[in-house]
Amino acid sequence: MSDDEYAAVWACAHPTVQDAMDLALCTDQRPADVLKFNVTDIADGSLSLIQNKTGKKLRIAIEGELAEVIDRIFAKLRDKVNEMNKALLQDPDGQRLSYFALRSRFDKARDLAGVSFQFRDLRAKAATDTDDLAHAQRLLGHKNRSTTEIYTRDRKGDLVKPLARTCKS
C-alpha cells in the first residue's frame, strides 16, 4: 500500500485502530503480536515480545515514531479506570482490544477510505519501506536473508531498467 492509502484509512479509523496501525507499522509485527503487547513488555527503553508464529524473541528500541506512538497510547491509558488490564491496546471500556474488534473497525475504516489493503499488509509495508534489508530481516524475525528478500521483492517488485535501444530515423 502507498503512504496515501495508509493515511486515508488511518484518518477514517477509530483511535484504537490508529494506535494498532501505528504499532504494527513501527514494529513490523503480525496483528496477533501487536494485540498481545502489554505495558509490562516495556522496559529499559525497549518493547519486548516473543513472536507467536516463530517463537523469535525481539526487543525493539523505543525511539523515534515508536516512542511517539507509545507516549500517545500511555496518555490514553492514564485515563482508564481499569488498572488491572495491562494491555497496551485497549478499547474504550478499558479492555484488551480483541482481534475481532480490530478487524471490524479496520474493515470499516478501509471501506470508508475506499482502499483494499488488509491489516496484515502493514507488516509488508514496514519491511518494504526500509532500504536496510538486514534491519527488515531482524524485525520480521526471519532466519534467512533470502526469505526477507522474497518477502520484500514480492511486495514491491524488482526494480529493472528499461531496454536501452537507439532509435534510428
Side-chain angles (χ1 to χ4, degrees), residues 134-145:
H135 180 231
Q137 178 184 349
R138 287 190 303 273
L139 272 174
L140 291 166
H142 290 159
K143 291 181 183 178
N144 301 312
R145 181 181 174 97

Side-chain angles (χ1 to χ4, degrees), residues 110-130:
R110 183 186 62 195
D111 292 345
L112 286 169
V115 297
S116 62
F117 70 87
Q118 297 179 26
F119 191 91
R120 68 179 184 217
D121 294 331
L122 294 173
R123 183 167 157 86
K125 178 173 180 39
T128 55
D129 280 358
T130 181

Side-chain angles (χ1 to χ4, degrees), residues 23-29 33-34 37 41-49 51 57-63 66-67 70 135 138-140:
L23 271 178
L25 192 60
C26 288
T27 64
D28 209 1
Q29 298 306 303
D33 291 325
V34 170
F37 282 135
D41 295 330
I42 298 171
D44 301 324
S46 66
L47 177 61
S48 299
L49 79 141
Q51 292 179 325
K57 292 181 181 181
L58 291 175
R59 288 180 304 118
I60 303 168
I62 299 174
E63 55 189 41
L66 179 57
I70 289 175
H135 180 231
R138 287 190 303 273
L139 272 174
L140 291 166

Side-chain angles (χ1 to χ4, degrees), residues 1-12 21-22 25-26 65 106 113 115-117 121-131 155-156:
M1 89 209 58
S2 69
D3 290 341
D4 289 342
E5 289 172 318
Y6 178 90
V9 173
W10 195 93
C12 295
M21 288 175 67
D22 289 346
L25 192 60
C26 288
E65 289 181 49
F106 177 81
V115 297
S116 62
F117 70 87
D121 294 331
L122 294 173
R123 183 167 157 86
K125 178 173 180 39
T128 55
D129 280 358
T130 181
D131 291 330
R155 299 300 193 278
K156 211 172 194 179

